[in-house]
């Protein structure tokens, strides 16, 4: 209970996307999870990530990408949490669980936790109660981070940062948007200031984590 109360307080105090990411990583390290992430998806029938906060193993990411329709159907049964190995018995699923959460703007929010294979199903089921409580605090923290960033960014800044996130240089963005390279750099610099970032890569990361781009 002490750890649960500690992490509840952690999530309640978060207003910055980078702090939210750090908290998920800390929890994953503390409990030795293979994956520990909050996924936001705007798809009704598929779990396609618009933003993911936390740590996701390659195995979990690949499984969700290929089997999200099965997982979505499992959520629609009303059961919570969903044990991943029970989503479809003949599927080779990660050793863990998923919790579906309500969200704004018709989004589906899901917390996924994956354990090393040596963890028993009984232990995983016992741990899931911890996340049934904690998940809602994590989602509230993400909502605060997204709202804070959404208020501060202008549409043009978001547009420039989105193209940078796709690997475009300032010159390439200027040609796409029909503005000068100097103007693009001006908007990117503003994004860096508003996210307290030391470079454009960090600004992109914060924009992605905050669901802005």
């Amino acid at each position: 209970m002490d750890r649960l109360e500690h992490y509840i307080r952690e999530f309640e105090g978060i207003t910055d996307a980078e702090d939210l990411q750090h908290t998920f990583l800390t929890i994953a390290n503390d409990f030795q999870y293979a994956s520990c992430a909050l996924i936001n998806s705007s798809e009704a029938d598929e779990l396609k990530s618009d933003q993911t906060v936390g740590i996701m193993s390659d195995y979990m990411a690949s499984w969700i990408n290929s089997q999200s329709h099965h997982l979505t159907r499992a959520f629609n049964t009303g059961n919570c949490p969903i044990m991943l190995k029970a989503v479809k018995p003949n599927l080779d699923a990660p050793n863990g669980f998923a919790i579906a959460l309500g969200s704004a703007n018709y989004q589906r929010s899901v917390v996924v936790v994956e354990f090393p294979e040596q963890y028993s199903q009984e232990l995983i089921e016992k741990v899931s109660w911890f996340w049934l409580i904690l998940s809602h605090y994590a989602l509230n923290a993400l909502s605060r981070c997204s709202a804070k960033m959404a208020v501060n960014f202008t549409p043009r800044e978001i547009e420039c940062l989105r193209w940078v996130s796709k690997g475009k240089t300032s010159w390439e963005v200027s040609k796409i948007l029909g503005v000068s390279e100097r103007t693009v750099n001006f908007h990117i610099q503003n994004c860096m200031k508003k996210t307290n970032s030391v470079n454009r890569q960090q600004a992109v990361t914060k924009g992605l984590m905050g669901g802005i781009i």
Side-chain angles (χ1 to χ4, degrees):
M1 287 299 294
D2 288 344
R3 277 192 168 184
L4 177 60
E5 291 175 2
H6 168 74
Y7 283 119
I8 285 175
R9 289 195 298 271
E10 284 276 320
F11 281 124
E12 284 183 327
I14 290 172
T15 58
D16 182 83
E18 200 165 26
D19 290 340
L20 181 59
Q21 174 74 2
H22 176 74
T23 298
F24 267 95
L25 294 179
T26 299
I27 293 174
N29 289 331
D30 280 354
F31 294 98
Q32 298 183 322
Y33 296 143
S35 297
C36 178
L38 172 60
I39 305 169
N40 252 9
S41 174
S42 58
E43 296 291 333
D45 300 320
E46 298 279 343
L47 185 59
K48 301 297 185 183
S49 177
D50 293 327
Q51 60 182 144
T52 299
V53 182
I55 181 172
M56 185 94 71
S57 72
D58 291 340
Y59 181 32
M60 175 68 89
S62 176
W63 187 84
I64 288 177
N65 185 58
S66 62
Q67 305 299 335
S68 65
H69 53 295
H70 291 302
L71 186 56
T72 301
R73 287 197 199 104
F75 287 141
N76 291 338
T77 65
N79 294 329
C80 191
I82 298 294
M83 298 299 149
L84 299 182
K85 288 189 178 296
V87 168
K88 195 170 175 60
N90 60 344
L91 286 178
D92 185 17
N95 200 30
F97 58 83
I99 297 171
L101 303 164
S103 187
N105 300 323
Y106 305 101
Q107 288 186 324
R108 180 187 295 276
S109 298
V110 177
V111 165
V112 292
V113 177
E114 177 190 4
F115 298 79
E117 280 300 322
Q118 65 266 28
Y119 280 71
S120 68
Q121 196 67 18
E122 182 181 2
L123 178 59
I124 293 172
E125 289 175 2
K126 287 181 178 179
V127 172
S128 66
W129 73 266
F130 177 95
W131 279 99
L132 279 171
I133 298 170
L134 199 58
S135 294
H136 296 279
Y137 291 93
L139 180 60
N140 288 339
L142 179 61
S143 296
R144 287 194 301 274
C145 295
S146 298
K148 178 183 175 182
M149 294 183 72
V151 169
N152 290 335
F153 277 82
T154 68
R156 182 61 91 181
E157 287 167 355
I158 293 172
E159 201 171 19
C160 288
L161 201 61
R162 183 176 290 124
W163 282 114
V164 171
S165 75
K166 297 180 184 295
K168 302 297 184 182
T169 65
S170 293
W171 181 83
E172 290 172 323
V173 175
S174 72
K175 296 305 177 186
I176 292 169
L177 299 181
V179 298
S180 70
E181 185 175 356
R182 182 177 179 180
T183 297
V184 172
N185 286 331
F186 171 77
H187 290 308
I188 297 299
Q189 287 290 330
N190 283 343
C191 291
M192 290 166 55
K193 289 176 183 176
K194 291 178 179 181
T195 57
N196 194 28
S197 300
V198 297
N199 53 44
R200 60 177 58 198
Q201 286 74 27
Q202 188 179 24
V204 165
T205 298
K206 291 184 176 182
L208 289 168
M209 285 168 31
I212 305 304
I213 59 175

